[in-house]
Amino acid sequence: MIERNLTQEEVDALPFEHNLSDGHAFRSWTHAESAIIAQSARFFAESDRRGGQRAEAEYIRRYLALGGQSYIPDYFTGLMSYSASMAVEIVANLLRLRRLSAALIEPCFDNIADILRRHRVPLQPFPETVLTDGTAALEALLETLTADVIFLVSPNNPTGTVVSEAAFTRIVEYCVAEGKLLVLDGCFRVYLSDEEVYDHYRILAASGIDCVVIEDTGKVWPAAELKAPFLSVSPRLVSAVIGMHSDFLLHLSPFTVRLITEFVCLAEADGGRYLRELVVENRTLFQSRIPGSFLRTDDTQKLGLAWLEVSAGGLDGEGVRRLLAERGVHVLSGERFYWSSPHLGRRHLRMALLRDPDIIVHASAVIADLWDELGVG
Ligand SMILES: *Cc1c(COP(=O)(O)O)cnc(C)c1O
């Protein structure tokens, strides 16, 4: 097991050209995105704290609409955040103060489990396989669940697994019946295809349960790490959450909110299709070049990330990661995504696709060369 966390690995890979380590949007701007960036000096000059709250509400409404979500300000209070991780930190504080335990989806990005554990929130795994193995699997899990909180990520990082509408409805129904709190991290919702979109916010508001939804734009638009994450908090949790939130933040930069709103408006024109297509192109480039006998795609092909299983015997994810790093290509290995049962990720690698195609082509060539070099196939 690797001692360092995934983000530390990602930080170390930042200086390298062939960094496919983090899932942030490090790609060139499209022509239309460039036109927005070209106006950024004006957005800066027009930024005004006095219009900030109105601008935030408008941003949240438009961002949710892009994701096919209802904007329900009577139920949800929207609180802006610097990062989605800060939103997780706030949720973790809330759970600790209320002495709540949580069933957390597995696999997931390691910082969610690490933050919850640092606050000594007792964790139990919510294996994502119960979302794909049919209703009996989900029912069996719900029957044995003892945690006070269910914490889901959909679509999930790294696998792209989606909580279907039927499963979500059932989980919410369970939360109503058992008085559980639901946390949903929807940071990748823009990558869902039209058929997979349903209205989380409407279902949650209609149920009346306590819940927090975490949203983010950092894995979507390349804005030099400027992003506009937010928490949507249900009525009974607001007073507790808002106090903590105000300990961290007075006001997210209105410039950032404006810039990201412009990106949202751009995506509205085609319902976000261009964002998904950029990823599909890179995925196709990659899959046509790497030998499937070496690395097999083991994801839903949704996110700007590829989750790969090492299919050759005798090699594990960490071994391949090291060999690739020696050759200048930086990816993550899978164990740390399985925060409860690391061995389940032993054969996996995660590779970023939100990059320029030439980076993907180069990395694919390095991987193919490595496969030849190993001579196992
Ligand atoms: C990246 C990520 C986060 C954290 O986002 P930051 O804004 O970088 O802190 C939270 N949740 C999920 C699912 C993520 O992939």
Side-chain angles (χ1 to χ4, degrees):
M1 189 65 187
I2 323 139
E3 291 305 321
R4 285 147 22 102
N5 70 37
L6 293 171
T7 306
Q8 287 173 292
E9 299 275 321
E10 293 175 349
V11 168
D12 287 353
L14 283 174
F16 292 98
E17 183 175 11
H18 299 109
N19 161 30
L20 300 164
S21 182
D22 61 79
H24 292 214
F26 291 126
R27 59 163 173 82
S28 301
W29 299 317
T30 65
H31 187 71
E33 287 170 346
S34 292
I36 290 173
I37 300 297
Q39 299 180 73
S40 52
R42 180 166 65 82
F43 302 155
F44 231 116
E46 288 173 0
S47 293
D48 183 343
R49 72 171 192 283
R50 290 169 299 183
Q53 284 151 3
R54 206 170 351 103
E56 287 170 9
E58 177 65 6
Y59 156 70
I60 289 174
R61 186 187 67 74
R62 295 189 94 118
Y63 176 80
L64 292 179
L66 181 66
Q69 303 299 301
S70 292
Y71 174 60
I72 313 176
D74 286 346
Y75 195 80
F76 288 103
T77 300
L79 300 172
M80 303 303 301
S81 178
Y82 289 120
S83 71
S85 303
M86 188 180 112
V88 175
E89 170 69 16
I90 289 172
V91 167
N93 268 286
L94 177 76
L95 303 196
R96 186 197 68 243
L97 291 169
R98 299 198 166 189
R99 300 181 193 283
L100 301 177
S101 57
L104 172 65
I105 196 163
E106 183 179 47
C108 72
F109 198 74
D110 67 344
N111 80 331
I112 300 180
D114 287 344
I115 290 171
L116 290 166
R117 282 174 168 154
R118 196 171 297 124
H119 286 279
R120 305 196 190 287
V121 174
L123 294 182
Q124 98 184 77
F126 189 108
E128 70 165 17
T129 47
V130 308
L131 299 167
T132 50
D133 286 357
T135 53
L138 177 60
E139 290 305 326
L141 178 75
L142 294 180
E143 229 158 76
T144 59
L145 214 61
T146 54
D148 306 303
V149 177
I150 297 180
F151 194 134
L152 300 174
V153 182
S154 180
N156 197 15
N157 173 8
T159 54
T161 297
V162 177
V163 181
S164 69
E165 182 167 12
F168 188 73
T169 306
R170 176 64 189 112
I171 290 165
V172 169
E173 206 178 274
Y174 170 84
C175 291
V176 172
E178 305 290 329
K180 311 271 181 184
L181 193 157
L182 184 64
V183 181
L184 174 67
D185 179 335
C187 290
F188 288 91
R189 68 165 72 254
V190 168
Y191 294 104
L192 291 170
S193 55
D194 294 340
E195 320 80 71
E196 288 168 319
V197 172
Y198 57 91
D199 197 342
H200 289 133
Y201 282 72
R202 188 185 50 72
I203 294 170
L204 290 170
S207 77
I209 63 169
D210 291 335
C211 57
V212 179
V213 190
I214 298 170
E215 308 286 357
D216 185 23
T217 62
K219 313 288 175 40
V220 181
W221 289 286
E225 303 284 32
L226 294 177
K227 49 195 173 184
F230 60 96
L231 300 101
S232 298
V233 183
S234 65
R236 285 182 297 270
L237 299 179
V238 170
S239 64
V241 171
I242 220 165
M244 261 185 280
H245 177 265
S246 59
D247 283 339
F248 293 121
L249 176 63
L250 170 68
H251 188 201
L252 195 74
S253 163
F255 168 76
T256 305
V257 174
R258 173 70 184 273
L259 181 71
I260 303 298
T261 302
E262 294 287 335
F263 280 130
V264 172
C265 293
L266 175 65
E268 280 169 2
D270 71 350
R273 202 159 299 122
Y274 91 93
L275 296 162
R276 296 188 282 278
E277 281 169 4
L278 288 172
V279 173
V280 170
E281 277 171 37
N282 277 344
R283 193 186 310 279
T284 307
L285 272 179
F286 173 66
Q287 284 175 339
S288 65
R289 283 172 165 76
I290 61 146
S293 48
F294 184 15
L295 298 177
R296 186 182 71 83
T297 304
D298 189 23
D299 58 37
T300 61
Q301 322 236 350
K302 295 286 165 204
L303 309 187
L305 297 164
W307 181 240
L308 304 165
E309 184 179 8
V310 181
S311 39
L315 281 165
D316 64 9
E318 178 57 15
V320 175
R321 185 197 68 76
R322 282 169 199 264
L323 290 167
L324 291 177
E326 285 165 12
R327 288 155 181 78
V329 171
H330 298 270
V331 300
L332 297 179
S333 57
E335 278 181 306
R336 270 201 149 264
F337 289 87
Y338 281 88
W339 56 267
S340 172
S341 306
H343 66 277
L344 295 176
R346 199 176 60 79
R347 297 183 62 81
H348 281 82
L349 292 171
R350 197 195 73 172
M351 184 180 129
L353 295 172
L354 278 174
R355 299 292 189 269
D356 287 332
D358 62 313
I359 303 290
I360 303 292
V361 168
H362 176 87
S364 308
V366 169
I367 292 169
D369 287 349
L370 173 62
W371 184 231
D372 284 343
E373 214 180 295
L374 292 171
V376 195

